[in-house]
Amino acid sequence: MRGTMPFSYFPRGSAGKLLEAERLKRRTRQDIAMIREFGFCSGIENYSRHFDRRQPGEPPYTLLDYFKACDKDFLTIIDESHVTVPQIGGMYTGDRSRKNTLVEHGFRLPSAVDNRPLKFDEFEKRVGQTIYTSATPGQYELSRSGKPVEQVIRPTGLVDPEIIVRPIVGGVPRTVLKGAQGPSSVPGNYQGQVKDFIAEAELVTKRGGRSMVTVLTKKMAEDLAAYLAEKHIKARYVHSDVKTIERIEILRDFRKGVFDVLVGVNLLREGLDLPEVELVGILDADKEGFLRSDTSLIQTIGRAARNVRGRVLLYADAVTGSMERAIGETNRRREIQIAYNKKHKITPKTIEKRIHDIVGDIERTRKRAVSELTKIDSTAFGGDTAKLVREKRRQMHEAADRLDFETAALIRDEIRVLEGKAKT
C-alpha cells in the first residue's frame, strides 16, 4: 500500500502544530488500515487524487468526461438556469474554503482539496451545446444564447396571475402607488399588509383554496405563522432550517388541506408546483435586494399560475424598479396568453396533480421488503423462528462490522417482525 499510495506525507512547517500533526497521522493511518481490511473507509473520496494518479491541482474526473469521450456532441440541459449556473460557479469556492479548514487543523491531508467540484471554466470546457431553461434567464444564459425561445402558452390554458399592489401600512394614500403597472385596490378601512392578507386568505380558505405568503427573514416567517395561529388560521412555515423530510411532509399536508396558509422566505420560489394555491402574498415587496429582485418576484408570482383563480398581492409603499420589471413582464405574458385563449376558444383549467406521499412511499416500500424477506427466510428455516432470529442477529452484526449499516438496519427490522410473531 505504501509503495503505491503517497499517504505518508504531512504538511511542512508543522512546528507549533503538534496536536494537528498527531491528529493527521492517526486519522490517515486509521483510514489506511480500514482500506486494507475492508477496501473502504469513511471519507475515502478525499484520497481520490491518489487513486486516480492525478497531479496536484488537476481537475477530478466526472460524468461529463465520460459523456465527452462517448460523444463530443452530447447535449447538456440546465434546468432553472438562473439558479443553477451561479451554483456551478460557487461550488468550487465553497468546497475549497471548507477543505482548507480541515487541512489546517489536521483532519485531512492537503491532497483532500483535489477531491472537489469542477471550477466554472473547467465545467465550460466539458460541455458543448447547451439548453438553458428558466422563466427568468440570467445575463450569462442570454449572452450565450442569442434570442431566447419562449414557451409562454400553457397546455392547460392557464394565464399568469393578476397582480394587485397595496400599501404596507394602513392609511397610506393611493398616490404613493402611482406608476404601478398592476391594478391597485385599497379598501376604505385598510389596516396594513398583515391584516389585509389575513382577510384575503380567509376568503380563499372558505372556497377551499390555499394561500402562500413570503417574508424577508426566518424570524419573520416564524412570527407570522404564530400570529396567524393566534387568529385561528391554520398555518405553517418553511425556511432553510426546516429539514428536507419535514419540508416534504409540510408541503404534502398543505396540499391535502391539513392547514391553509404556508409562510416562507426563499423556498417558495422555484420548483414548487402547488395547484391548490389561489393567493400569493408578497410582504414588503419594495425592499430591494435578492429576495425582492425582479427575478425573485417573477418566480414567486409564478406560484399562483397553477390555479385558474390565481392572484398575487404585492405590498409596497413605493414601486421599485424590480417591481416594475416583474409586473411588466408578468402582464406581457398574461396578455399573450389571454389573446391566444380567446383566439382558440380555450377555457383555462386548474392543474390536476396527484398528491405524492414520498415519505409514506419510502416507508411502505421498506415494510414490503421486510415482509417478503421474513416470508422467504421463514420458509427456508422450516418455521424455526428461534433459529432464524439467531442467524439474523449474526448477519446483522456481520453487516455492521462491514459498515453496511443499511443492510444491518433492514435485518434489524426483520428481527423485530419475527420476534413480534413469536410473542403472538
Side-chain angles (χ1 to χ4, degrees), residues 207-227:
R207 291 197 299 264
R210 314 281 186 277
S211 304
M212 284 172 33
V213 58
T214 66
V215 293
L216 292 172
T217 67
K218 298 175 187 176
K219 186 69 168 62
M220 288 172 70
E222 294 171 8
D223 289 346
L224 180 56
Y227 180 75

Side-chain angles (χ1 to χ4, degrees), residues 1-2 5-10 28 32 35 47 50-51 109:
M1 181 75 113
R2 286 177 183 170
M5 300 181 70
F7 284 141
S8 57
Y9 69 91
F10 297 93
T28 307
I32 291 173
I35 292 171
Y47 302 113
H50 305 294
F51 288 117
L109 289 172

Side-chain angles (χ1 to χ4, degrees), residues 14-83:
S14 57
K17 288 198 171 185
L18 297 177
L19 175 62
E20 288 81 354
E22 182 64 24
R23 179 186 290 142
L24 182 60
K25 184 191 296 182
R26 291 192 179 192
R27 177 62 179 265
T28 307
R29 286 179 174 173
Q30 180 184 354
D31 287 348
I32 291 173
M34 292 291 288
I35 292 171
R36 281 174 171 165
E37 189 69 24
F38 301 109
F40 175 83
C41 73
S42 177
I44 193 172
E45 66 277 2
N46 290 295
Y47 302 113
S48 63
R49 193 184 90 192
H50 305 294
F51 288 117
D52 296 344
R53 307 294 188 189
R54 286 184 283 125
Q55 294 299 314
E58 272 193 75
Y61 297 111
T62 67
L63 199 57
L64 293 175
D65 295 299
Y66 172 77
F67 290 153
K68 196 167 185 179
C70 293
D71 185 355
K72 292 182 180 180
D73 296 324
F74 75 93
L75 174 66
T76 303
I77 301 175
I78 301 181
D79 192 22
E80 301 289 6
S81 60
H82 65 285
V83 172

Side-chain angles (χ1 to χ4, degrees), residues 134-146:
S134 172
T136 52
Q139 286 301 315
Y140 175 83
E141 302 96 292
L142 293 173
S143 66
R144 293 172 64 88
S145 307

